[in-house]
Amino acid sequence: MKKRLSRFLYAITALVLVAGCSKDSDKTLDGVPGTYEGSNVTITVNGSMYSGGNAKVEVTGTVQDDMTFKIYNAVLGQAEYTVTGCEVRVDNDNSRVFGGEQGGGASDLNKVVITGKINNGKMVMNITITGATGSYNGEKLSASINGAEAPEGVSAQITGLKTSDANLIIDGFVLGEDEPIEITNLQITTLNTQSQFSGEYTDEYKTVSVNGQIIDHTMSLEVVVKNTSAVVGKWKIAKEMGLDNFGNETEVHRVIINVENTTGKIIFLGSEQDVNVFGPFLKMIAMGYGLDNYLDALNYFEFKENGSIALSFNDPQNGNAEMTIPNELIPEGTIRWYAKEGKVYFVVNMDLINMIPGGYGSIFSQLFEVKDGYVHVPINFTKTANGVDIYFDKAFLQQAFPIIKGLIPSEGLGDMQALIEMVIPEVETIINESTKFEVGLGLAKVTE
């Protein structure tokens, strides 16, 4: 009887202990499942406090060794990212500590490891990301543009966590682009700590190709910018039928002076005339003062695909000997170009501009934007049946005229003094009252 009672008591004790252990195990997930956001979640990513806002973590599951953590906005390049198979334990101060990892295989860009603690409805999470995703600059980036070393300050960033959604964002590489360029659908292969990638970005004016690799968290990057706009090529000033300085019809260079207004009439030099004859009249005056001879001195200029410019002209101060750019005085890269939003931009080193005698180089900094030691000169361009027209528009001329007037001396121009002082204000009035005022040159392709 005593043996049976003893066995019964042992059995009851065992059941109580098992029930107690089971009950303790159930408490492991107490307060764990749920949504953590706002002031209830603090996240660090690779050792830096996440400050992007809108971070949120959803925790689901019923098994302490197989919980799911869905992270919103805090994992680089992802609106949401899920880590499954996470473990939850109770530590000495009755907090719930957790850990888990996702990715890291040959088909993934990264390995994402999460660790942290939950206590009284608040979560602290540490995210460690190893692999291709991340920002590269300074000593972590070795880069070139069209074969030349990239300037200081460029940066690159890879976003995404799978090879199927990898993107590359480059900043400071493309002349004329103030905003970063995002290259989507990046072709990338990654294994362990090494990644190889390539991709291409295309818009109306250019193609940007990238090739690179990441080894031990350092990126090597080659960027090739190929300009594709209508102005690419070698050009000379086009010829068309017009009037010479004697009013005779002949073949002259295509000088563009297009004027329109609401009345169809203008007052110039004390007389009223049709607005559509004003342009030809000004061109005839310009030809009379030798403009055609100056234009004859230009052999060609070339907008190259790589953004550089070549130029050939006959120097009248050197027996009309041919001069070419680049040369020793104006080396490659001193004058560059790009196209954007219907304009072609000449980009000239300010050191070269400041070499203009008489201090007139400062005029360029008044008329045009100067960035990083280069002046950017925007000129409109329109593709024509036989080439392209490049021209300044009314908005620019309205900005330029006050500066031009300030350069006219009060004396010393001889017979021209009175005429110039009369014509300049009249032309300014015509510009202000016009709906269109364009001044430029027509270009024809040089065929070789």
Side-chain angles (χ1 to χ4, degrees):
M1 182 67 179
K2 289 182 178 179
K3 285 185 177 181
R4 290 180 181 175
L5 181 60
S6 177
R7 289 174 181 172
F8 177 74
L9 291 173
Y10 280 133
I12 292 297
T13 302
L15 286 171
V16 171
L17 290 174
V18 169
C21 289
S22 176
K23 188 175 182 181
D24 289 343
S25 177
D26 290 341
K27 287 184 177 180
T28 300
L29 295 181
D30 283 359
V32 172
T35 300
Y36 301 84
E37 58 185 325
S39 61
N40 292 325
V41 61
T42 302
I43 298 175
T44 60
V45 180
N46 286 351
S48 299
M49 186 71 68
Y50 176 78
S51 58
N54 300 320
K56 181 172 70 172
V57 180
E58 293 177 352
V59 183
T60 57
T62 58
V63 180
Q64 66 186 54
D65 291 333
D66 191 22
M67 301 296 288
T68 297
F69 284 65
K70 182 176 284 188
I71 307 164
Y72 293 87
N73 301 315
V75 177
L76 291 174
Q78 296 291 304
E80 61 181 61
Y81 187 75
T82 301
V83 183
T84 58
C86 297
E87 298 181 357
V88 178
R89 295 289 183 266
V90 180
D91 68 4
N92 293 333
D93 65 359
N94 205 35
S95 296
R96 272 55 180 175
V97 295
F98 60 84
E101 66 179 54
Q102 198 79 12
S107 64
D108 289 316
L109 283 175
N110 306 289
K111 179 179 180 180
V112 178
V113 178
I114 64 171
T115 58
K117 179 184 291 190
I118 299 171
N119 192 320
N120 293 325
K122 294 182 180 292
M123 175 187 291
V124 176
M125 174 181 284
N126 302 304
I127 302 175
T128 302
I129 304 173
T130 56
T133 293
S135 298
Y136 300 86
N137 52 39
E139 295 181 353
K140 292 185 177 181
L141 178 62
S142 173
S144 65
I145 306 173
N146 289 353
E149 184 178 354
E152 294 183 5
V154 297
S155 64
Q157 181 184 20
I158 290 183
T159 64
L161 292 164
K162 297 285 185 180
T163 56
S164 59
D165 65 9
N167 300 322
L168 175 67
I169 301 171
I170 57 175
D171 192 8
F173 284 89
V174 181
L175 186 65
E177 290 292 340
D178 296 325
E179 299 296 326
I181 287 179
E182 183 172 10
I183 300 170
T184 58
N185 299 317
L186 195 68
Q187 302 300 306
I188 187 167
T189 57
T190 184
L191 181 62
N192 298 325
T193 61
Q194 297 190 16
S195 301
Q196 304 281 336
F197 62 87
S198 63
E200 188 173 275
Y201 166 91
T202 300
D203 63 22
E204 182 180 357
Y205 302 107
K206 60 186 172 295
T207 297
V208 182
S209 303
V210 296
N211 284 279
Q213 62 180 357
I214 301 168
I215 300 177
D216 295 331
H217 310 295
T218 299
M219 177 186 288
S220 298
L221 176 61
E222 297 177 357
V223 178
V224 176
V225 180
K226 179 181 178 182
N227 289 284
T228 59
S229 80
V231 300
V232 169
K234 185 179 288 187
W235 304 91
K236 61 182 179 181
I237 301 175
K239 292 289 189 74
E240 64 181 3
M241 297 305 296
L243 300 177
D244 62 16
N245 55 321
F246 299 106
N248 300 316
E249 189 173 27
T250 185
E251 189 177 59
V252 296
H253 290 99
R254 177 167 166 74
V255 176
I256 299 167
I257 304 178
N258 295 326
V259 184
E260 295 178 4
N261 62 22
T262 57
T263 65
K265 301 289 184 179
I266 62 169
I267 303 296
F268 185 65
L269 297 179
S271 64
E272 183 181 82
Q273 57 183 263
D274 290 339
V275 70
N276 59 358
V277 303
F278 178 66
F281 179 65
L282 283 186
K283 284 192 282 186
M284 185 177 68
I285 293 176
M287 296 304 175
Y289 284 98
L291 177 61
D292 217 38
N293 295 330
Y294 285 107
L295 297 179
D296 267 333
L298 178 65
N299 296 319
Y300 70 82
F301 60 90
E302 182 177 6
F303 295 100
K304 295 186 177 181
E305 288 181 342
N306 66 1
S308 63
I309 289 179
L311 177 68
S312 170
F313 62 95
N314 297 321
D315 183 6
Q317 295 183 350
N318 191 25
N320 282 330
E322 182 181 9
M323 292 188 64
T324 59
I325 296 173
N327 54 33
E328 292 182 2
L329 180 63
I330 307 174
E332 183 83 23
T334 305
I335 304 176
R336 295 178 290 164
W337 76 278
Y338 64 91
K340 185 177 181 180
E341 298 175 351
K343 298 180 186 291
V344 57
Y345 288 76
F346 290 86
V347 183
V348 186
N349 191 306
M350 274 304 298
D351 290 340
L352 179 63
I353 296 293
N354 290 331
M355 292 172 61
I356 298 174
Y360 289 108
S362 62
I363 300 170
F364 284 82
S365 61
Q366 298 177 56
L367 290 175
F368 308 109
E369 183 178 15
V370 179
K371 294 187 293 187
D372 300 324
Y374 285 81
V375 60
H376 292 238
V377 181
I379 303 178
N380 298 276
F381 75 90
T382 302
K383 190 174 181 179
T384 65
N386 301 315
V388 294
D389 288 344
I390 60 174
Y391 57 93
F392 290 112
D393 58 18
K394 173 185 173 180
F396 170 78
L397 294 171
Q398 283 183 304
Q399 173 191 345
F401 241 81
I403 298 172
I404 294 173
K405 285 197 304 181
L407 298 175
I408 300 173
S410 58
E411 58 182 20
L413 297 178
D415 295 339
M416 293 293 296
Q417 188 81 46
L419 178 63
I420 290 175
E421 290 178 356
M422 179 173 59
V423 167
I424 291 297
E426 289 194 11
V427 172
E428 184 176 24
T429 298
I430 293 169
I431 292 173
N432 291 332
E433 293 178 351
S434 69
T435 55
K436 175 192 284 188
F437 202 111
E438 299 171 344
V439 178
L441 296 170
L443 306 180
K445 209 68 171 282
V446 175
T447 56
E448 297 178 306

